[in-house]
mmCIF file with all atom_site columns, all heavy atoms in Angstrom:
data_model
loop_
_atom_site.group_PDB
_atom_site.id
_atom_site.type_symbol
_atom_site.label_atom_id
_atom_site.label_alt_id
_atom_site.label_comp_id
_atom_site.label_asym_id
_atom_site.label_entity_id
_atom_site.label_seq_id
_atom_site.pdbx_PDB_ins_code
_atom_site.Cartn_x
_atom_site.Cartn_y
_atom_site.Cartn_z
_atom_site.occupancy
_atom_site.B_iso_or_equiv
_atom_site.pdbx_formal_charge
_atom_site.auth_seq_id
_atom_site.auth_comp_id
_atom_site.auth_asym_id
_atom_site.auth_atom_id
_atom_site.pdbx_PDB_model_num
ATOM 1  N N   . TYR A 1 143 ? 25.678 96.852 9.124  1.00 0.00 ? 907 TYR A N   1
ATOM 2  C CA  . TYR A 1 143 ? 25.473 96.724 10.576 1.00 0.00 ? 907 TYR A CA  1
ATOM 3  C C   . TYR A 1 143 ? 26.220 97.832 11.311 1.00 0.00 ? 907 TYR A C   1
ATOM 4  O O   . TYR A 1 143 ? 25.683 98.504 12.191 1.00 0.00 ? 907 TYR A O   1
ATOM 5  C CB  . TYR A 1 143 ? 25.951 95.344 11.059 1.00 0.00 ? 907 TYR A CB  1
ATOM 6  C CG  . TYR A 1 143 ? 25.714 95.169 12.542 1.00 0.00 ? 907 TYR A CG  1
ATOM 7  C CD1 . TYR A 1 143 ? 24.474 94.783 13.027 1.00 0.00 ? 907 TYR A CD1 1
ATOM 8  C CD2 . TYR A 1 143 ? 26.734 95.435 13.462 1.00 0.00 ? 907 TYR A CD2 1
ATOM 9  C CE1 . TYR A 1 143 ? 24.241 94.663 14.392 1.00 0.00 ? 907 TYR A CE1 1
ATOM 10 C CE2 . TYR A 1 143 ? 26.514 95.318 14.829 1.00 0.00 ? 907 TYR A CE2 1
ATOM 11 C CZ  . TYR A 1 143 ? 25.266 94.928 15.284 1.00 0.00 ? 907 TYR A CZ  1
ATOM 12 O OH  . TYR A 1 143 ? 25.030 94.818 16.631 1.00 0.00 ? 907 TYR A OH  1
ATOM 13 N N   . ARG A 1 186 ? 31.609 88.681 16.634 1.00 0.00 ? 950 ARG A N   1
ATOM 14 C CA  . ARG A 1 186 ? 30.790 89.398 17.626 1.00 0.00 ? 950 ARG A CA  1
ATOM 15 C C   . ARG A 1 186 ? 29.530 89.970 16.975 1.00 0.00 ? 950 ARG A C   1
ATOM 16 O O   . ARG A 1 186 ? 28.455 89.955 17.571 1.00 0.00 ? 950 ARG A O   1
ATOM 17 C CB  . ARG A 1 186 ? 31.598 90.525 18.292 1.00 0.00 ? 950 ARG A CB  1
ATOM 18 C CG  . ARG A 1 186 ? 32.595 89.977 19.283 1.00 0.00 ? 950 ARG A CG  1
ATOM 19 C CD  . ARG A 1 186 ? 33.198 91.044 20.179 1.00 0.00 ? 950 ARG A CD  1
ATOM 20 N NE  . ARG A 1 186 ? 34.239 90.405 20.964 1.00 0.00 ? 950 ARG A NE  1
ATOM 21 C CZ  . ARG A 1 186 ? 35.514 90.347 20.580 1.00 0.00 ? 950 ARG A CZ  1
ATOM 22 N NH1 . ARG A 1 186 ? 35.908 90.939 19.464 1.00 0.00 ? 950 ARG A NH1 1
ATOM 23 N NH2 . ARG A 1 186 ? 36.391 89.702 21.325 1.00 0.00 ? 950 ARG A NH2 1
ATOM 24 N N   . ALA A 1 189 ? 27.167 87.218 16.456 1.00 0.00 ? 953 ALA A N   1
ATOM 25 C CA  . ALA A 1 189 ? 26.502 86.881 17.731 1.00 0.00 ? 953 ALA A CA  1
ATOM 26 C C   . ALA A 1 189 ? 25.390 87.883 18.020 1.00 0.00 ? 953 ALA A C   1
ATOM 27 O O   . ALA A 1 189 ? 24.278 87.501 18.425 1.00 0.00 ? 953 ALA A O   1
ATOM 28 C CB  . ALA A 1 189 ? 27.532 86.865 18.861 1.00 0.00 ? 953 ALA A CB  1
ATOM 29 N N   . ASP A 1 190 ? 25.648 89.178 17.779 1.00 0.00 ? 954 ASP A N   1
ATOM 30 C CA  . ASP A 1 190 ? 24.606 90.205 17.981 1.00 0.00 ? 954 ASP A CA  1
ATOM 31 C C   . ASP A 1 190 ? 23.404 89.921 17.084 1.00 0.00 ? 954 ASP A C   1
ATOM 32 O O   . ASP A 1 190 ? 22.249 90.090 17.499 1.00 0.00 ? 954 ASP A O   1
ATOM 33 C CB  . ASP A 1 190 ? 25.138 91.604 17.585 1.00 0.00 ? 954 ASP A CB  1
ATOM 34 C CG  . ASP A 1 190 ? 26.036 92.206 18.661 1.00 0.00 ? 954 ASP A CG  1
ATOM 35 O OD1 . ASP A 1 190 ? 26.146 91.608 19.753 1.00 0.00 ? 954 ASP A OD1 1
ATOM 36 O OD2 . ASP A 1 190 ? 26.635 93.271 18.384 1.00 0.00 ? 954 ASP A OD2 1
ATOM 37 N N   . LEU A 1 191 ? 23.697 89.499 15.845 1.00 0.00 ? 955 LEU A N   1
ATOM 38 C CA  . LEU A 1 191 ? 22.607 89.249 14.894 1.00 0.00 ? 955 LEU A CA  1
ATOM 39 C C   . LEU A 1 191 ? 21.784 88.038 15.324 1.00 0.00 ? 955 LEU A C   1
ATOM 40 O O   . LEU A 1 191 ? 20.558 88.024 15.185 1.00 0.00 ? 955 LEU A O   1
ATOM 41 C CB  . LEU A 1 191 ? 23.171 89.071 13.474 1.00 0.00 ? 955 LEU A CB  1
ATOM 42 C CG  . LEU A 1 191 ? 23.850 90.330 12.884 1.00 0.00 ? 955 LEU A CG  1
ATOM 43 C CD1 . LEU A 1 191 ? 24.523 90.009 11.548 1.00 0.00 ? 955 LEU A CD1 1
ATOM 44 C CD2 . LEU A 1 191 ? 22.851 91.479 12.717 1.00 0.00 ? 955 LEU A CD2 1
ATOM 45 N N   . ALA A 1 194 ? 19.602 89.105 17.951 1.00 0.00 ? 958 ALA A N   1
ATOM 46 C CA  . ALA A 1 194 ? 18.506 89.940 17.434 1.00 0.00 ? 958 ALA A CA  1
ATOM 47 C C   . ALA A 1 194 ? 17.465 89.120 16.668 1.00 0.00 ? 958 ALA A C   1
ATOM 48 O O   . ALA A 1 194 ? 16.505 89.672 16.151 1.00 0.00 ? 958 ALA A O   1
ATOM 49 C CB  . ALA A 1 194 ? 19.074 91.040 16.542 1.00 0.00 ? 958 ALA A CB  1
#
Side-chain angles (χ1 to χ4, degrees):
Y907 182 82
R950 285 193 187 91
D954 282 353
L955 295 173

